[in-house]
Amino acid sequence: MKQLFMMVNDGSVKIIDTPPPIVKDNYVIVETEYTVVSAGTERGLTSFGGKNLVQKVLARPDQARKIIEKMSTDGILTTLDVALTRLAEPMPMGYSGVGTVVACGRGVTDIVEDDRVAMVGQAYHAEVNRVNRNLIAKLPEGLNDYRQYAMCALGGIALQGIHQANIIAGETVAVIGLGLVGHITARILNAYGCDVIAYDITDKRLPGTRLKAFINSNSENAADMTRSLTKGNGVDKVIITAATDSNSPMDLAADIARDRGIICMIGVTQMNLDRRPYYAKELTFTIARSYGPGRYDPSYEDNGVDYPIGHVRFTEGRNIEEFVRLISEGRADFTDLITHVIPFEEAARAYEMITTNTNHERYIGVLLQYPERDKKWTPVITNSAKKIIGGKIRVGLIGSGNFSRNTLLPIMQSTGLYELKALASTGGIGAAQASSSFYFEYITNEYRRLIDDPEIDLVIISTNHNTHAKFILEALEANKHVYCEKPLCLTLDELEHIESAYRSSNGELFCGMNRRYSPLVNKIKEMLSTDKIPAVYDYIANAGYIPENHWTQDEAVGGGRIIGEACHFVDTIQYLDGSKLESLDVTYAANEAYPKNDNAIVTLRFSSGAAASIIYTSMGSKKYPKEQLRVFSNGSVCELNNYISMRIYGNIKAVMIKLRQDKGIYDEYKHIASVISGKSENNAIEDAFVNHRMIFERIFGGKQ
């Protein structure tokens, strides 16, 4: 299929070929027919993309502060590498559309194949979209013109603003900003029996939008004119739909609102509140979060868990259903707001119109129309063949998330030891983003193709943790070499199956616990002879806060952060000591503000006599280094600071500093190549088996 992306580094748009997404639980696959180009949101994104680096920093001071903080802990060069990599990555565009359902996953019971639906949030500018069941609304049958339903996300935004402002039938409502969202808001208010006074810097009235009055917002008499239309009281409620860098809409809203009125922001403006009118009138200001309750909640948007209607009447999904109802029952009509319908393959023309608009076209609603094209369903995208350089390890990658794109692929490619043969991904976005920066001979949504491909030497697994065991087992059974990001699995039963498969396979198995390969860690081992002289280890992992609803916190998907990440630090100490890990214990902190067991002390004991403690915490400051390791041995101390610098205390005091943070990933990939080529032994996997088993036994206590 084809999907539209914006290049963040320069603001241009690009259509990329990528395999269509495949259906999964609580989702539907939709063949897209129309999507909306948002003149506000998408113009803002392309405008930001078109800025140079300095302008981008000035436009987002909040992000600039985060970059400065990261520089202080991770180093300047490392931070710049990350920032430039992110800027080079294409961004999927679009969020509102209409199309026909072609497949339904388990858990979807109210929608069937061939239903036409309105869709939001996950409705990208793509020929095929995978959308959660909570983000779609079925359209009635027998429609002659269903294009206006493609504006459902904008309708959801308007409805959420109306709900947040507690608007009552018969009230007089001000709508500041008469663009597409402003017209939609005004028409819905009309349908609910409200009088609407519209404000804008230019007259954008349309016959289909019934207004009590239009007032130029730049007029010095705007507030007086409003009072004359409202018996001297002012409007009951104000909805700001404008998109501007100015604070003028906020000032106007306070001037025209009545005593104890409510002002709701659904647009994008400055929000500097003048205390005087808010105090004098006791005004209420609120802001609507996109399409409604459920927005940005993974349990709602990803897992399909709906909110009970008795507690939340209008969720994100039910707002979309209400928009559909208003149109279907003839209470509102938005057809005339569609001024342009542009073929998808000419999408660049739509973006030119909403940005530079060199032809000075008058537009309101701009739709992209998607053609019938059988090739959109092709499960494999094949690129032109490239000559394979002899001796390189041919790689098949399963998974195209952030770590794959921003860390794994660039570092692996920089070694010069690997050839990127194939990429498998269940969703089109990540695959397109990866293929835009890295060459693969083919990209597919069918992972079995990689396992069955005789030309692939090494299968790399970089997916959600709960899928690791399945992919490892299938690849080992096919006698492939396997590299899996940590952890190997989430249960003891899975671990036993993996060990058994590894013992009987001709393939090697590697787990992505890379810190043992760090040059600074190896310097500690060399200087202190930790594999010969017992030491005491103190590892601090200032891991940072992750919300409860993040997938890594879900024990069924991510396993929790101790399983998912603490194994890294256990492995580092296992490597330094070199003897058998005899015991591992975990003690959790009790803090009601951090209920997900991601604050713990892990204590280790080795057969050499060495002991270690690992503090893993989400309670710390981001300004403090993320990782610190102190090793005490035979009268000396080595203090490793975030894999950038190391202080050595002994006969002499010395400092070692690296220009870039080096957690050992580059050397890990070199080691993997060395093992596959028969030049080195694969000893690390045995430590990984012990490491995983002890963590599972301690956390689960044999209860699985």
Side-chain angles (χ1 to χ4, degrees):
M1 72 168 190
K2 295 182 181 294
Q3 181 166 354
L4 184 75
F5 290 83
M6 183 194 75
M7 309 309 290
V8 183
N9 54 359
D10 63 8
S12 64
V13 293
K14 180 180 180 181
I15 293 177
I16 299 177
D17 281 306
T18 185
I22 62 174
V23 72
K24 61 181 184 179
D25 293 356
N26 300 313
Y27 281 80
V28 298
I29 299 297
V30 180
E31 184 175 14
T32 310
E33 295 171 74
Y34 294 94
T35 55
V36 171
V37 177
S38 171
T41 302
E42 296 186 64
R43 179 173 55 210
L45 289 171
T46 53
S47 175
F48 176 79
K51 298 178 185 295
N52 61 39
L53 188 57
V54 174
Q55 291 170 328
K56 284 182 170 74
V57 170
L58 293 175
R60 291 296 305 271
D62 56 327
Q63 293 299 315
R65 284 192 294 271
K66 290 181 180 179
I67 289 173
I68 292 170
E69 286 181 5
K70 188 173 178 64
M71 284 180 175
S72 68
T73 58
D74 295 0
I76 295 174
L77 294 181
T78 302
T79 304
L80 288 176
D81 287 343
V82 171
L84 293 174
T85 298
R86 294 287 176 85
L87 287 174
E89 189 169 78
M91 175 188 294
M93 300 292 277
Y95 59 87
S96 184
V98 65
T100 301
V101 174
V102 297
C104 298
R106 290 185 305 175
V108 179
T109 58
D110 53 343
I111 297 290
V112 297
E113 292 181 19
D114 296 325
D115 280 347
R116 183 168 277 134
V117 295
M119 52 183 175
V120 301
Q122 296 155 357
Y124 301 106
H125 297 317
E127 291 182 304
V128 181
N129 277 296
R130 180 173 62 201
V131 189
N132 191 273
R133 67 180 185 181
N134 282 338
L135 307 183
I136 57 176
K138 182 178 178 179
L139 304 187
E141 297 179 0
L143 297 172
N144 293 322
D145 186 355
Y146 53 88
R147 297 175 305 163
Q148 60 179 316
Y149 293 96
M151 295 184 282
C152 55
L154 304 176
I157 292 169
L159 283 162
Q160 178 61 7
I162 290 169
H163 300 321
Q164 285 290 86
N166 293 325
I167 290 171
I168 300 171
E171 289 188 317
T172 299
V173 182
V175 174
I176 300 178
L178 204 55
L180 180 57
V181 177
H183 278 287
I184 291 173
T185 303
R187 294 184 186 194
I188 294 175
L189 289 167
N190 287 157
Y192 287 162
C194 295
D195 286 337
V196 178
I197 302 175
Y199 303 76
D200 207 310
I201 58 174
T202 58
D203 191 342
K204 298 177 182 177
R205 281 178 285 186
L206 293 172
T209 304
R210 299 189 304 275
L211 301 176
K212 181 171 185 176
F214 172 82
I215 298 174
N216 189 301
S217 54
N218 281 339
S219 171
E220 294 180 357
N221 300 319
D224 292 333
M225 295 169 67
T226 302
R227 282 188 285 272
S228 70
L229 293 165
T230 55
K231 299 181 180 180
N233 296 319
V235 297
D236 298 295
K237 309 289 168 58
V238 182
I239 298 181
I240 302 174
T241 62
T244 176
D245 294 332
S246 167
N247 199 64
S248 297
M250 291 292 296
D251 296 333
L252 176 62
D255 284 344
I256 62 179
R258 66 163 168 80
D259 185 68
R260 292 179 175 81
I262 299 175
I263 299 168
C264 181
M265 170 70 74
I266 65 175
V268 182
T269 77
Q270 288 188 23
M271 290 189 293
N272 299 319
L273 301 182
D274 184 347
R275 180 182 180 277
R276 290 167 297 178
Y278 277 83
Y279 178 82
K281 299 180 182 179
E282 202 171 349
L283 299 175
T284 298
F285 175 77
T286 183
I287 187 165
R289 187 167 61 185
S290 196
Y291 329 128
R295 186 65 172 137
Y296 309 118
D297 179 357
S299 65
Y300 182 92
E301 295 190 323
D302 296 333
N303 299 333
V305 179
D306 202 358
Y307 301 158
I309 195 168
H311 294 275
V312 185
R313 174 59 184 91
F314 286 104
T315 59
E316 182 177 2
R318 290 194 275 270
N319 274 336
I320 308 310
E321 290 175 352
E322 172 65 359
F323 181 74
V324 169
R325 184 190 74 85
L326 290 171
I327 298 173
S328 303
E329 295 183 359
R331 297 174 182 271
D333 189 286
F334 308 99
T335 307
D336 63 307
L337 297 180
I338 302 170
T339 57
H340 292 77
V341 178
I342 296 174
F344 173 62
E345 57 270 22
E346 300 176 23
R349 180 158 64 90
Y351 282 85
E352 190 282 328
M353 185 188 308
I354 67 171
T355 53
T356 58
N357 198 9
T358 54
N359 293 328
H360 304 290
E361 294 186 64
R362 185 177 182 274
Y363 65 86
I364 301 177
V366 181
L367 302 188
L368 298 180
Q369 183 178 16
Y370 296 78
E372 288 289 337
R373 200 174 66 88
D374 292 338
K375 289 186 177 180
K376 72 178 71 171
W377 301 107
T378 302
V380 180
I381 303 298
T382 304
N383 295 313
S384 57
K386 188 170 73 171
K387 184 178 179 181
I388 302 296
I389 300 173
K392 287 194 175 184
I393 297 167
R394 293 163 296 186
V395 169
L397 171 63
I398 302 175
S400 54
N402 286 331
F403 180 80
S404 295
R405 301 192 307 270
N406 299 327
T407 302
L408 190 155
L409 288 172
I411 294 178
M412 181 164 278
Q413 193 172 63
S414 71
T415 66
L417 301 171
Y418 298 89
E419 193 79 43
L420 303 180
K421 171 78 173 175
L423 169 65
S425 176
T426 62
I429 294 173
Q433 290 173 323
S435 65
S436 69
S437 300
F438 302 95
Y439 174 87
F440 292 91
E441 190 172 308
Y442 66 91
I443 305 163
T444 180
N445 57 17
E446 300 172 343
Y447 76 92
R448 281 295 318 183
R449 288 180 183 265
L450 276 60
I451 293 174
D452 295 336
D453 188 338
E455 294 187 359
I456 288 178
D457 304 308
L458 175 67
V459 173
I460 297 178
I461 300 164
S462 184
T463 55
N464 285 354
H465 299 167
N466 62 326
T467 65
H468 287 183
K470 166 187 169 65
F471 294 136
I472 290 172
L473 290 171
E474 291 189 34
L476 287 176
E477 287 166 4
N479 291 311
K480 298 286 190 186
H481 300 302
V482 182
Y483 167 74
C484 181
E485 270 307 306
K486 50 79 190 164
L488 291 171
C489 54
L490 297 183
T491 69
L492 273 170
D493 185 58
E494 289 177 339
L495 182 64
E496 289 174 2
H497 282 92
I498 289 171
E499 280 195 72
S500 176
Y502 173 64
R503 307 293 181 205
S504 59
S505 175
N506 292 328
E508 292 287 354
L509 176 61
F510 308 93
C511 184
M513 294 189 285
N514 46 274
R515 284 155 177 78
R516 64 166 56 210
Y517 302 99
S518 166
L520 291 177
V521 167
N522 279 279
K523 190 66 177 177
I524 292 174
K525 186 167 187 173
E526 175 191 335
M527 292 178 59
L528 301 186
S529 299
T530 53
D531 55 343
K532 299 180 179 65
I533 302 171
V536 171
Y537 305 91
D538 178 29
Y539 206 125
I540 298 175
N542 178 35
Y545 176 77
I546 292 179
E548 285 186 59
N549 56 17
H550 191 272
W551 70 269
T552 59
Q553 300 277 34
D554 185 339
E555 291 185 1
V557 179
R561 298 182 76 184
I562 300 302
I563 289 176
E565 193 170 11
C567 56
H568 251 324
F569 317 120
V570 175
D571 182 77
T572 305
I573 298 171
Q574 280 179 287
Y575 170 70
L576 283 169
D577 182 74
S579 71
K580 181 182 176 182
L581 176 60
E582 290 193 331
S583 68
L584 181 152
D585 195 26
V586 182
T587 303
Y588 295 105
N591 185 329
E592 292 182 357
Y594 299 85
K596 296 300 289 187
N597 282 343
D598 55 1
N599 288 276
I601 296 178
V602 181
T603 54
L604 312 173
R605 179 79 180 178
F606 294 88
S607 62
S608 67
S613 70
I614 300 168
I615 297 176
Y616 186 95
T617 179
S618 62
M619 296 184 190
S621 167
K622 289 185 178 180
K623 296 180 180 179
Y624 191 78
K626 187 173 181 180
E627 294 179 42
Q628 288 185 316
L629 170 63
R630 290 188 288 267
V631 182
F632 304 83
S633 177
N634 208 31
S636 297
V637 179
C638 284
E639 186 178 73
L640 174 62
N641 181 42
N642 218 20
Y643 293 87
I644 296 175
S645 64
M646 184 167 69
R647 292 183 180 274
I648 304 157
Y649 302 84
N651 294 330
I652 60 170
K653 183 176 179 181
V655 179
M656 297 177 64
I657 299 176
K658 296 186 71 66
L659 294 177
R660 279 185 170 83
Q661 186 181 57
D662 189 346
K663 293 182 178 180
I665 299 175
Y666 180 88
D667 290 285
E668 177 190 24
Y669 295 163
K670 286 177 64 178
H671 173 73
I672 290 171
S674 181
V675 171
I676 291 175
S677 63
K679 298 175 183 176
S680 301
E681 294 292 325
N682 183 13
N683 298 319
I685 192 61
E686 301 299 336
D687 281 349
F689 288 150
V690 172
N691 173 332
H692 281 63
R693 181 174 292 104
M694 285 197 167
I695 291 175
F696 291 155
E697 288 175 346
R698 176 60 188 86
I699 289 178
F700 299 123
K703 299 176 182 179
Q704 284 196 338

